[in-house]
């Protein structure tokens, strides 16, 4: 069935179940690990998240994994639920660096520039326009995952990839708290994570996870709240992005 809502106890985060390697950096070496078996609670490639707290905990783990990659100078560029693996002890690991780019060295860039690459529903606006994508593109994608995990609905959807990419670039989704029982502070955190301008997003995945953790308890830094209001003043929740006639 369709994903439910975190507020109603039926949110889903999709996790790929496959023998896929997980990469980590140790010094100058990139180490490949194979994930251990997933627990019995994982069925049909999906993890059922019964509470808002559980959804947030997995989202924070995803942010921590991305943060580790970013600190190693790696931009993933294809962040989506299927590229996180769940280990036997319930931990998420970032997987599939096939589109990754090392920010400090073109020698380890694995994909082309000037070409649209990624998964449309999780791509950042700059990726949709085939512009250079840094770590804040990954943070945008993480915002998409968190939005979907907490509301049960994708923020950007459409009948074709072109329609999805248009909405990613120009539209804002429905206010999260209109879809699930969420504090207003969560709306503001997601507004920043999903900002169209990379410079308006969280600087690091760690800052996103810290803000999200506090927001679920109804708390948000006043400066972040003001910043979110500024982002939403330019493009409010539910804005279609269609040109005026």
């Amino acid at each position: 069935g369709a994903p439910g809502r975190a507020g109603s106890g039926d949110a889903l985060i999709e996790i790929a179940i496959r023998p896929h390697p997980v990469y980590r950096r140790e010094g100058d070496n990139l180490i490949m690990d194979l994930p251990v078996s997933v627990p019995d609670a994982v069925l049909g490639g999906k993890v059922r998240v019964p509470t808002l707290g559980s959804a947030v905990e997995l989202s924070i783990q995803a942010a921590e994994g991305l943060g580790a990659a970013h600190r190693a100078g790696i931009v993933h560029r294809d962040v989506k639920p299927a590229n996180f693996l769940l280990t036997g002890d319930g931990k998420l690991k970032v997987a599939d660096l096939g589109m990754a780019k090392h920010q400090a060295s073109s020698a380890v860039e694995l994909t082309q520039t000037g070409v649209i690459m990624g998964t449309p529903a999780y791509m950042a606006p700059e990726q949709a326009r085939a512009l250079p994508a840094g770590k804040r593109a990954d943070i945008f994608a993480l915002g998409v995952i968190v939005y979907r995990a907490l509301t049960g609905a994708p923020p950007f959807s459409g009948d074709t990839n072109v329609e999805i990419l248009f909405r990613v670039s120009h539209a804002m989704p429905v206010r999260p708290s209109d879809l699930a029982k969420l504090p207003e502070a969560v709306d503001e955190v997601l507004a920043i994570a999903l900002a169209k301008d990379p410079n308006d997003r969280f600087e690091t995945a760690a800052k996103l996870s810290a803000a999200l953790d506090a927001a679920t308890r109804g708390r948000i830094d006043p400066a972040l709240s003001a910043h979110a209001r500024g982002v939403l003043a330019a493009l409010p929740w539910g804005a279609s992005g269609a040109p005026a006639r």
Side-chain angles (χ1 to χ4, degrees), residues 5 147 151 173-183 187 237-238:
R5 298 176 181 180
Y147 182 105
T151 68
V174 175
R175 185 190 309 271
S177 60
D178 287 347
L179 298 176
K181 188 176 179 180
L182 297 168
D187 290 343
W237 291 117

Side-chain angles (χ1 to χ4, degrees), residues 87-227:
T87 66
D89 59 356
K91 302 299 183 182
L92 285 186
K93 289 183 177 289
V94 182
D96 198 346
L97 297 180
M99 292 182 60
K101 178 179 179 179
H102 196 288
Q103 291 184 302
S105 173
S106 60
V108 293
E109 181 175 347
L110 301 181
T111 57
Q112 305 175 55
T113 56
V115 177
I116 294 179
M117 293 186 175
T119 303
Y122 296 92
M123 289 169 63
E126 58 269 28
Q127 289 176 288
R129 300 186 182 103
L131 297 174
K135 63 183 180 182
R136 294 194 195 197
D138 287 350
I139 290 170
F140 182 95
L142 182 59
V144 173
I145 292 174
V146 173
Y147 182 105
R148 184 177 177 184
L150 298 184
T151 68
F156 307 106
S157 60
D159 294 331
T160 66
N161 285 341
V162 170
E163 186 176 355
I164 293 171
L165 291 174
F166 177 85
R167 289 178 177 170
V168 164
S169 298
H170 302 289
M172 277 294 277
V174 175
R175 185 190 309 271
S177 60
D178 287 347
L179 298 176
K181 188 176 179 180
L182 297 168
E184 182 181 353
V186 172
D187 290 343
E188 294 183 330
V189 168
L190 286 173
I192 296 171
L194 298 175
K196 302 306 179 187
D197 185 339
N199 293 321
D200 283 334
R201 295 176 209 145
F202 290 97
E203 183 180 2
T204 66
K207 290 183 177 180
L208 168 56
S209 66
L212 178 64
D213 188 34
T216 58
R217 296 189 293 274
R219 300 199 297 266
I220 187 170
D221 182 275
L224 280 181
S225 181
H227 180 53

